[in-house]
Amino acid sequence: MSTETPTWERFDRRRRLGRFFALLATAVTVLVSWRFLSIEFVALDTVPREVADLLTRMYPPDVAYTPEIVGPLIETVHIAALGTIGAVALAIPVALLAAENTTPNALTYWLGKVLVTVSRSVNTIIWALIFVVMFGAGALPGAIAIAFRSVGFLGKLLGEEIEEIDFGQVEAVRAAGASPVQMLLYGILPQVKPALVGLTVYRWEINIRDSTVLGFVGAGGIGVELFRAIDAFAWRSVSMILIAILGIVVISELISKQTRGMVR
């Protein structure tokens, strides 16, 4: 009879081998990517000096420049708001197509998935470049870019919420003679309303941050002033703009947190 005391192990042999090979594959990937990109270490002793030089140029912030950025900052908020509202209007039908229990057929299901994927695959800046070419510089292409980028985010998550609803409620509304629009308004939306509100506010918060850089490609907002200030090496003005952006982002996060807490 064996007298050996069994020892506890968190993972069995198979899982330990799997974790080892996963770590090995990660290390190999990092090394290959590093070599492919020809990344070289910078002289670390120069980094503190360069950072200190930049901070010295940016201090103190040019408070007198504040009136120049109030208008673009408000424009940034409007771009994010309009883009988010447009995204919600587009995302609802996309989500209905991308949800298995509401899409009419397999073709429309894959159409919804393609729309979600295309929207999420293209960065906001790329969308902005496309719409600046189409509509010219200004806030309009910025708002449209925000909307198109947000459709994939909202459509995907809202579609997943729709797939989890109690479809019996929808069938009850249909049995009462409701039209497709009434089925949407009284059978589906009431069940996903908390998620829709929470996702919308959360996406608006993200869009505030995205809107601050759209001006770099001519799509309006505070990014235009930031680009001009950097291009002119007006670092004290850059500092003031960054403080203003930080302030509006913090306010948007507080509003988002409060609103999402109310709908839970």
Side-chain angles (χ1 to χ4, degrees), residues 150-162:
S150 303
V151 165
F153 176 89
L154 294 173
K156 174 179 170 56
L157 296 181
L158 187 59
E160 293 175 354
E161 290 291 333
I162 292 174

PDB file of all heavy atoms in Angstrom, residues 150-162:
ATOM      1  N   SER A 150     -19.606  54.540 -34.871  1.00  0.00           N
ATOM      2  CA  SER A 150     -20.345  54.082 -33.698  1.00  0.00           C
ATOM      3  C   SER A 150     -21.397  53.038 -34.023  1.00  0.00           C
ATOM      4  O   SER A 150     -21.850  52.318 -33.130  1.00  0.00           O
ATOM      5  CB  SER A 150     -21.008  55.282 -33.004  1.00  0.00           C
ATOM      6  OG  SER A 150     -20.057  56.262 -32.643  1.00  0.00           O
ATOM      7  N   VAL A 151     -21.813  52.968 -35.289  1.00  0.00           N
ATOM      8  CA  VAL A 151     -22.868  52.025 -35.671  1.00  0.00           C
ATOM      9  C   VAL A 151     -22.461  50.591 -35.350  1.00  0.00           C
ATOM     10  O   VAL A 151     -23.263  49.798 -34.834  1.00  0.00           O
ATOM     11  CB  VAL A 151     -23.223  52.173 -37.163  1.00  0.00           C
ATOM     12  CG1 VAL A 151     -24.034  50.981 -37.648  1.00  0.00           C
ATOM     13  CG2 VAL A 151     -23.996  53.451 -37.398  1.00  0.00           C
ATOM     14  N   GLY A 152     -21.232  50.232 -35.655  1.00  0.00           N
ATOM     15  CA  GLY A 152     -20.783  48.873 -35.410  1.00  0.00           C
ATOM     16  C   GLY A 152     -20.794  48.523 -33.932  1.00  0.00           C
ATOM     17  O   GLY A 152     -21.223  47.435 -33.532  1.00  0.00           O
ATOM     18  N   PHE A 153     -20.311  49.446 -33.106  1.00  0.00           N
ATOM     19  CA  PHE A 153     -20.282  49.247 -31.653  1.00  0.00           C
ATOM     20  C   PHE A 153     -21.693  49.050 -31.102  1.00  0.00           C
ATOM     21  O   PHE A 153     -21.985  48.060 -30.418  1.00  0.00           O
ATOM     22  CB  PHE A 153     -19.607  50.449 -30.997  1.00  0.00           C
ATOM     23  CG  PHE A 153     -19.596  50.428 -29.499  1.00  0.00           C
ATOM     24  CD1 PHE A 153     -18.559  49.831 -28.809  1.00  0.00           C
ATOM     25  CD2 PHE A 153     -20.622  51.024 -28.774  1.00  0.00           C
ATOM     26  CE1 PHE A 153     -18.548  49.826 -27.414  1.00  0.00           C
ATOM     27  CE2 PHE A 153     -20.619  51.021 -27.394  1.00  0.00           C
ATOM     28  CZ  PHE A 153     -19.578  50.407 -26.709  1.00  0.00           C
ATOM     29  N   LEU A 154     -22.574  49.991 -31.422  1.00  0.00           N
ATOM     30  CA  LEU A 154     -23.943  49.924 -30.908  1.00  0.00           C
ATOM     31  C   LEU A 154     -24.719  48.769 -31.527  1.00  0.00           C
ATOM     32  O   LEU A 154     -25.480  48.080 -30.842  1.00  0.00           O
ATOM     33  CB  LEU A 154     -24.663  51.253 -31.175  1.00  0.00           C
ATOM     34  CG  LEU A 154     -24.126  52.475 -30.428  1.00  0.00           C
ATOM     35  CD1 LEU A 154     -24.819  53.743 -30.908  1.00  0.00           C
ATOM     36  CD2 LEU A 154     -24.309  52.307 -28.927  1.00  0.00           C
ATOM     37  N   GLY A 155     -24.538  48.564 -32.843  1.00  0.00           N
ATOM     38  CA  GLY A 155     -25.276  47.492 -33.515  1.00  0.00           C
ATOM     39  C   GLY A 155     -24.915  46.122 -32.980  1.00  0.00           C
ATOM     40  O   GLY A 155     -25.792  45.273 -32.794  1.00  0.00           O
ATOM     41  N   LYS A 156     -23.636  45.891 -32.723  1.00  0.00           N
ATOM     42  CA  LYS A 156     -23.195  44.590 -32.211  1.00  0.00           C
ATOM     43  C   LYS A 156     -23.756  44.327 -30.819  1.00  0.00           C
ATOM     44  O   LYS A 156     -24.371  43.278 -30.563  1.00  0.00           O
ATOM     45  CB  LYS A 156     -21.666  44.528 -32.184  1.00  0.00           C
ATOM     46  CG  LYS A 156     -21.110  43.261 -31.534  1.00  0.00           C
ATOM     47  CD  LYS A 156     -19.601  43.273 -31.571  1.00  0.00           C
ATOM     48  CE  LYS A 156     -19.020  42.153 -30.719  1.00  0.00           C
ATOM     49  NZ  LYS A 156     -19.519  40.818 -31.098  1.00  0.00           N
ATOM     50  N   LEU A 157     -23.543  45.274 -29.893  1.00  0.00           N
ATOM     51  CA  LEU A 157     -23.962  45.056 -28.514  1.00  0.00           C
ATOM     52  C   LEU A 157     -25.483  45.072 -28.366  1.00  0.00           C
ATOM     53  O   LEU A 157     -26.042  44.285 -27.600  1.00  0.00           O
ATOM     54  CB  LEU A 157     -23.330  46.116 -27.612  1.00  0.00           C
ATOM     55  CG  LEU A 157     -21.804  46.084 -27.534  1.00  0.00           C
ATOM     56  CD1 LEU A 157     -21.285  47.153 -26.591  1.00  0.00           C
ATOM     57  CD2 LEU A 157     -21.313  44.715 -27.089  1.00  0.00           C
ATOM     58  N   LEU A 158     -26.142  45.955 -29.115  1.00  0.00           N
ATOM     59  CA  LEU A 158     -27.603  45.987 -29.051  1.00  0.00           C
ATOM     60  C   LEU A 158     -28.195  44.726 -29.671  1.00  0.00           C
ATOM     61  O   LEU A 158     -29.205  44.192 -29.179  1.00  0.00           O
ATOM     62  CB  LEU A 158     -28.133  47.237 -29.762  1.00  0.00           C
ATOM     63  CG  LEU A 158     -29.632  47.503 -29.639  1.00  0.00           C
ATOM     64  CD1 LEU A 158     -30.037  47.642 -28.176  1.00  0.00           C
ATOM     65  CD2 LEU A 158     -30.017  48.764 -30.408  1.00  0.00           C
ATOM     66  N   GLY A 159     -27.589  44.234 -30.741  1.00  0.00           N
ATOM     67  CA  GLY A 159     -28.039  42.992 -31.348  1.00  0.00           C
ATOM     68  C   GLY A 159     -27.941  41.829 -30.370  1.00  0.00           C
ATOM     69  O   GLY A 159     -28.830  40.964 -30.312  1.00  0.00           O
ATOM     70  N   GLU A 160     -26.870  41.780 -29.600  1.00  0.00           N
ATOM     71  CA  GLU A 160     -26.723  40.721 -28.597  1.00  0.00           C
ATOM     72  C   GLU A 160     -27.779  40.849 -27.510  1.00  0.00           C
ATOM     73  O   GLU A 160     -28.276  39.837 -26.993  1.00  0.00           O
ATOM     74  CB  GLU A 160     -25.315  40.785 -27.987  1.00  0.00           C
ATOM     75  CG  GLU A 160     -24.215  40.424 -28.982  1.00  0.00           C
ATOM     76  CD  GLU A 160     -22.825  40.615 -28.409  1.00  0.00           C
ATOM     77  OE1 GLU A 160     -22.734  41.148 -27.269  1.00  0.00           O
ATOM     78  OE2 GLU A 160     -21.848  40.250 -29.082  1.00  0.00           O
ATOM     79  N   GLU A 161     -28.124  42.088 -27.150  1.00  0.00           N
ATOM     80  CA  GLU A 161     -29.197  42.293 -26.169  1.00  0.00           C
ATOM     81  C   GLU A 161     -30.544  41.831 -26.726  1.00  0.00           C
ATOM     82  O   GLU A 161     -31.350  41.228 -26.004  1.00  0.00           O
ATOM     83  CB  GLU A 161     -29.276  43.768 -25.782  1.00  0.00           C
ATOM     84  CG  GLU A 161     -28.118  44.277 -24.952  1.00  0.00           C
ATOM     85  CD  GLU A 161     -28.116  43.700 -23.545  1.00  0.00           C
ATOM     86  OE1 GLU A 161     -29.207  43.346 -23.053  1.00  0.00           O
ATOM     87  OE2 GLU A 161     -27.033  43.615 -22.947  1.00  0.00           O
ATOM     88  N   ILE A 162     -30.806  42.091 -27.985  1.00  0.00           N
ATOM     89  CA  ILE A 162     -32.067  41.688 -28.607  1.00  0.00           C
ATOM     90  C   ILE A 162     -32.191  40.167 -28.641  1.00  0.00           C
ATOM     91  O   ILE A 162     -33.280  39.603 -28.461  1.00  0.00           O
ATOM     92  CB  ILE A 162     -32.187  42.275 -30.025  1.00  0.00           C
ATOM     93  CG1 ILE A 162     -32.344  43.805 -29.946  1.00  0.00           C
ATOM     94  CG2 ILE A 162     -33.363  41.681 -30.784  1.00  0.00           C
ATOM     95  CD1 ILE A 162     -32.332  44.506 -31.280  1.00  0.00           C
TER      96      ILE A 162
END
